[in-house]
Amino acid sequence: EQAGVAAGSLRGAERMAVHLLEAPADQVQALVQSLTRLREEVKTCAICGNWSEGEICNICADERRHPRLLCVVERPTDLWAFEQAEAYEGRYHVLGGTLSPLSGVTAEDLRIEELERRIREEGVEEVILATNPSVEGDATAHYLAHRLAPLGVKTTRIAQGVPVGGHLGYADSGTLRLALEGRRTIEG
């Protein structure tokens, strides 16, 4: 399955390259300027790790959000998938990936210490582990459950409505809503 995704990405990149080679120079230059501005203006939210045009993203700045409920996701795209589902009203924490010993990604490479600090300082009552249903995502969720256990916070895992090996960013709103509603406690 991953080979098919990689091949599809390669074909998409090839199509994009051909389009850019055939496009008028002024359009290509406008794209380059837009991409440069994007890299300069979009930063990481100082609180949750989402992408933001300011120091703090709109979600963290929204006082209507449930302050004691924290959904932990791998990447900002996963956060956006939950936002599109309109099924979650708490706050988020973006890890920046998953544990992956084969790729050299360890706990120190992820935003876990920031998560622990937020739990203590913000009085978080429940942490929803919403990592992707993959080997790395499951391993990260179990690691986090074990590491967060001493903090005394209720730790749940989203239900497995998302296909194993799938990515949250590609799941439909209904599937994400059911996954959130079916979350369960995960022991550390």
Side-chain angles (χ1 to χ4, degrees), residues 56-135:
I56 297 173
C57 73
N58 293 338
I59 295 171
C60 288
D62 187 349
E63 294 183 12
R64 296 172 295 179
R65 294 288 188 152
H66 192 301
R68 309 263 188 253
L69 190 59
L70 197 60
C71 183
V72 177
V73 295
E74 295 174 22
R75 308 210 176 278
T77 52
D78 300 326
L79 179 156
W80 300 344
F82 279 108
E83 285 300 289
Q84 285 182 323
E86 298 180 350
Y88 178 70
E89 296 176 357
R91 300 188 183 242
Y92 294 94
H93 186 83
V94 179
L95 289 173
T98 55
L99 296 172
S100 180
L102 295 177
S103 300
V105 180
T106 66
E108 291 74 31
D109 299 315
L110 304 178
R111 299 182 66 251
I112 297 173
E113 288 182 15
E114 293 91 335
L115 172 62
E116 292 170 324
R117 180 186 46 75
R118 288 186 70 191
I119 291 168
R120 286 189 300 272
E121 292 177 4
E122 297 175 19
V124 173
E125 296 171 355
E126 180 181 356
V127 173
I128 302 167
L129 301 175
T131 53
N132 284 300
S134 62
V135 173

Side-chain angles (χ1 to χ4, degrees), residues 19-40:
H19 176 75
L20 290 172
L21 288 169
E22 293 175 348
D26 61 326
Q27 288 181 3
V28 174
Q29 187 58 37
L31 176 62
V32 168
Q33 290 173 350
S34 294
L35 291 173
T36 301
R37 196 170 59 252
L38 173 76
R39 293 294 296 176
E40 292 170 353

